[in-house]
């Protein structure tokens, strides 16, 4: 179920449907809370909708699950204010 929802979310994202992607990723996380890619995807969707703090938390969670996930590292760095 989680994989199907993640794929559906990725397809929504590719169509430019950020809200639809967000719904799918959030639903997928109800089935699999331990998937770092889902947390990263959720963060990306949140970021695109202006939810910067929630996005940062999603990227941090992804990195707790997979400390070397490059996408999550890059995305979290984007969340940090520039000096």
């Amino acid at each position: 179920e989680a994989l199907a929802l993640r794929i559906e979310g990725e397809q929504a994202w590719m169509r430019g449907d950020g809200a639809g992607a967000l719904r799918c990723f959030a639903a997928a996380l109800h089935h699999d809370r331990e998937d770092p890619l889902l947390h990263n995807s959720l963060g990306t969707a949140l970021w695109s909708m202006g939810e910067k703090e929630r996005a940062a938390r999603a990227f941090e969670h992804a990195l707790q699950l997979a400390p070397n996930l490059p996408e999550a590292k890059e995305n979290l760095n984007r969340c940090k204010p520039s000096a």
Side-chain angles (χ1 to χ4, degrees):
E1 184 77 23
L3 178 59
L5 285 165
R6 182 172 65 176
I7 291 169
E8 187 178 338
E10 290 168 355
Q11 291 171 341
W13 181 256
M14 297 298 264
R15 289 190 311 269
D17 180 7
L22 180 62
R23 281 191 301 274
C24 290
F25 296 143
L29 282 169
H30 285 290
H31 297 282
D32 185 359
R33 304 270 325 143
E34 302 301 311
D35 183 340
L37 295 175
L38 270 174
H39 287 280
N40 186 67
S41 295
L42 178 71
T44 301
L46 288 165
W47 178 268
S48 76
M49 299 180 76
E51 296 280 346
K52 310 289 192 228
E53 290 179 24
R54 289 179 62 203
R57 286 194 301 270
F59 299 138
E60 288 168 350
H61 197 127
L63 288 169
Q64 288 173 354
L65 296 168
N68 295 316
L69 186 64
E71 305 97 304
K73 285 182 181 181
E74 290 172 23
N75 289 331
L76 183 58
N77 284 335
R78 265 194 331 185
C79 293
K80 295 178 181 174
S82 55

